[in-house]
Amino acid sequence: MIWDLMLAPFADFGFMRRALLGCIAVSVGATPVGVFLMLRHMSLTGDAMAHAILPGAAIGYLVSGLSLGAMTIGGLVAGMIVALASGFVARVTSLREDASLAAFYLISLALGVLIVSNHGNSVDLMHVLFGTVLALDDTALILLCSFASLSVLVLALLFRPLVLECADPQFLRSVSKLSGVTHFTFLALVVMNLVGGFHALGTLMAVGIMILPGAAARFWAESIAGLIAVAALIAMFSSLIGLLLSFHYSLPSGPAIILVAGVGYGLSLIFGPVGGAIAQNLPRRKFET
Amino acid sequence: MTSLRSVFASATALATLSFTIPTASWAEQPIPVVATFSILGDMVERIGGEHIALTTLVGPEGDTHVYQPTPKAARSVAEADLLFMNGLEFEGWLERLAEAASFDGAMVVATTGVSPIAFEEHEDDDHDEHAGHDEHDEHDEHAGHDEHAGHDHGTFDPHAWQSLDNALIYANNIAAGLAQADPANASEYYTNRAAFVAEIVALKSDIDAMMAALPADKRTVVTPHDAFGYFAEAYDLTFEAPQGMSTESEVSAADVAALITQIRRESISAVFIESITDNRMMEQIANETGATIGGTLYSDALSGETGPASTYLDMMRHNATTLSDALGS
């Protein structure tokens, strides 16, 4: 029973194993970044960045077709340009960073749609938006795993300054010149994970696996390490269940995975011990006794 | 000012005149016609020859199902005397385009008289409903989302040109349409049609021989999307393209698994890729099952000038040769 439901799909079909490995790589790489995005009140930045990488991926596609390398480099470059440009505008003008990011990502998105509809057929745009988690080949898997490893390494190096910046950005800025470096390296990590994620889940869904588990983890743990661990676990679990649902019930894989993460978020919201709806509003028995 | 106004007035008069005079009397002037997609365009070009000025809306390598009309297309349609379409709900966007462009010429439906193949009911109705919903309700906003919604639902398979017998019907309809709109050159259209038909018949006997030579246990073909129903019917082949496979946004693990299981069970030796679809999925499936990629088939659009399928006849020959090479060996 358990064998048929849970293990047989992965034992019988290589593409299921690949999809799971790809999703686990994305989960490990993207969720810690998502946790920091949430702690820094930047959750929507992830969404903006996901749209910002579209023209780069589109240009990469135009140059060399559905090539992994070209679309990856294009996406990275476009994402970095938007991140740097909005940061630069925020630092030299009076426009706040969120507003300038919004402006730049909208420009970038419009450019992307324009390029895709003018030169490719609309099929291509869909591949960028929805990804192909069931068609991951060896190079794509290697890329996803490398991105995840690199992301975790860089995050480990940046951990202290990032935590400081979450707690008190003014303090970090006053004691260290590395504040700007930290900020942009972090944005680079966001872009990198989104580009990795879009090969697996598409740009729209990659944001989901980045943000949702972090938001759900918020109701289970209080320490940052705890948040990251819970978020990564939720993301991996969602990937597994989502893929199995897709297998057993003929559901499209990407949305299935993100919806399972969404259900996880909903349950955490209600039952989570840290600030969840029930914990927050029920009389606390432990103080009464 | 006066001179300018008189120039304008005479220009208007001239324009009005050109609208009122029947096109037939402008015999030396090619009549403007529009064909919806590259395959139909090639046929119209063959039969119309030098007497028509043809605009093809969806060019080579383009996907007609998700085409989004541009203002330029609307202008071509507005100026055209004749509009050639495939019909069978293949060009879902055409009705709106013709209306928006206030097209007042004649419409020729190339599949008139074809006996259409009804879409077979698939087991999972969820998908059918989903695809149908996309097509009808969200086509404007999300036309791109359902890459081949037309394949997954609807009453009939629109890809009628994949059978050479139907191509004869197409040729007749096109010639009749042109002759009616331009009676002065009717005889020439029928002469062109006869030459085209002769080539179709010759090609048909070649392809008949190729397909007849395929061994009985090698008659299952796996393609990314379901566009070869008429070809399959003509030559008693089975084409497998699980639902959802055509659209990345709708692909499910169950579909892929079902296809892989079938390839293993029937020891299918080759799978095929198509020019207008994303082929990474097929490559992965080939990888996993040990099947080879048999080649590229052209279904809904011709290749570019330099490609192997730059005309309708080349396309049919290329597809048949590719199938026969991969399956017959």
Side-chain angles (χ1 to χ4, degrees), chain A residues 12-16 18 66 121-123 126-127 130-132 134-138 243 246-247 250-253, chain B residues 61 63 66 124 127 144-145 147 248-257 260-261 264 276 278 280-281 284 288:
Chain A
D12 290 349
F13 296 106
F15 78 92
M16 289 290 284
R18 287 162 175 279
L66 281 170
N121 54 38
S122 359
V123 179
M126 289 311 107
H127 298 315
F130 290 102
T132 48
L134 300 179
L136 293 172
D137 56 11
D138 289 350
L243 281 174
S246 169
F247 184 87
S250 294
L251 302 172
S253 311
Chain B
E61 311 279 1
D63 186 350
V66 297
D124 46 355
H127 261 291
H145 287 224
E147 175 188 342
E248 286 309 318
S249 57
E250 285 179 20
V251 76
S252 81
D255 298 331
V256 182
I260 288 176
T261 312
R264 283 179 183 158
I276 60 161
D278 175 32
R280 288 177 293 186
M281 183 65 81
Q284 274 307 303
E288 184 159 349

Side-chain angles (χ1 to χ4, degrees), chain B residues 133-252:
Chain B
H133 169 76
D134 276 2
E135 166 84 6
H136 292 126
D137 299 343
E138 302 179 50
H139 207 88
D140 299 68
E141 304 88 356
H142 298 293
H145 287 224
D146 43 349
E147 175 188 342
H148 295 113
H151 302 247
D152 296 335
H153 79 104
T155 335
F156 298 113
D157 182 349
H159 308 87
W161 61 85
Q162 288 293 346
S163 139
L164 285 166
D165 286 330
N166 287 342
L168 299 175
I169 300 175
Y170 275 57
N172 288 343
N173 287 333
I174 293 168
L178 284 169
Q180 197 167 22
D182 182 14
N185 293 308
S187 65
E188 195 140 348
Y189 295 138
Y190 282 112
T191 316
N192 290 344
R193 186 201 66 104
F196 186 45
V197 164
E199 279 187 60
I200 293 175
V201 171
L203 179 61
K204 185 167 152 47
S205 72
D206 287 0
I207 294 183
D208 284 355
M210 269 191 255
M211 293 298 123
L214 287 181
D217 59 339
K218 295 268 192 180
R219 302 186 82 89
T220 304
V221 183
V222 179
T223 55
H225 86 286
D226 235 334
F228 297 96
Y230 292 88
F231 194 83
E233 195 190 51
Y235 297 110
D236 194 22
L237 298 167
T238 310
F239 278 72
E240 288 296 339
Q243 209 152 27
M245 191 63 112
S246 54
T247 327
E248 286 309 318
S249 57
E250 285 179 20
V251 76
S252 81

